[in-house]
Amino acid sequence: MTRTSSSFSLIDSKTRFRQNYFDGLIISAISLMYLFTMEQHYGSVEDWGYVQILGLLGIYILYFLFFELTVGKSPGQFLNQTTIVNNKGQPARIKQILIRSLCRLNPLFGIPFFQHKRSVLERMSHTYLVNENSLSPLSNGD
């Protein structure tokens, strides 16, 4: 039996907000460490030009890429017991995770908790953010 996207539960906006808030806190902490370290080594932040912006964007993208490629979910998703799946309820493929991460560069795509049901980045990457509990093994008719 094949699972379809209608057989699992999408997360609600509160869960989506909590997840993004928690991930945002971690990214902010990493970004502050980056800025502090760069200032210690290279002087005033004002002297860096676009290096600081590129570094911060890199942190943002690499954070999600690292966690979603290595453990399949970000710390915010782990805390809220959510996971990323394709339309068959299987873990998202590498290509889908890469698309998700690149879509985050566009502010309209990267703020999913303002949208209903599925975010733009989920639609672009053909993924779903679902409650882990809704992915229980399918019965085979026994």
Side-chain angles (χ1 to χ4, degrees):
M1 180 176 198
T2 303
R3 177 181 288 134
T4 63
S5 59
S6 62
S7 67
F8 45 77
S9 170
L10 298 175
I11 64 169
D12 61 24
S13 59
K14 288 180 185 178
T15 303
R16 199 179 283 276
F17 178 83
R18 281 192 314 265
Q19 172 183 307
N20 284 292
Y21 181 78
F22 187 74
D23 283 331
L25 287 176
I26 294 172
I27 291 170
S28 296
I30 294 169
S31 297
L32 286 174
M33 289 187 287
Y34 162 76
L35 291 172
F36 178 75
T37 302
M38 292 295 287
E39 187 172 15
Q40 293 296 314
H41 289 8
Y42 299 107
S44 175
V45 173
E46 292 85 18
D47 298 335
W48 301 354
Y50 289 103
V51 172
Q52 64 188 357
I53 294 170
L54 293 175
L56 293 172
L57 285 174
I59 289 169
Y60 183 71
I61 295 301
L62 290 174
Y63 172 85
F64 289 104
L65 268 177
F66 173 77
F67 285 110
E68 291 177 356
L69 287 174
T70 57
V71 294
K73 60 179 70 183
S74 71
Q77 292 166 344
F78 180 78
L79 181 70
N80 286 286
Q81 298 179 342
T82 61
T83 192
I84 305 162
V85 297
N86 62 20
N87 61 349
K88 296 179 183 175
Q90 301 165 336
R93 298 183 319 244
I94 292 172
K95 179 181 176 183
Q96 291 173 306
I97 291 172
L98 289 172
I99 292 170
R100 282 177 65 88
S101 295
L102 290 175
C103 284
R104 286 184 171 102
L105 288 174
N106 183 329
L108 298 176
F109 296 170
I111 305 176
F113 55 87
F114 288 124
Q115 291 134 2
H116 185 67
K117 297 283 183 189
R118 286 178 68 205
S119 68
V120 174
L121 71 91
E122 289 169 9
R123 291 178 187 167
M124 299 275 297
S125 63
H126 303 287
T127 58
Y128 297 82
L129 190 57
V130 300
N131 293 313
E132 287 179 343
N133 300 335
S134 70
L135 295 176
S136 60
L138 293 173
S139 65
N140 56 7
D142 294 352

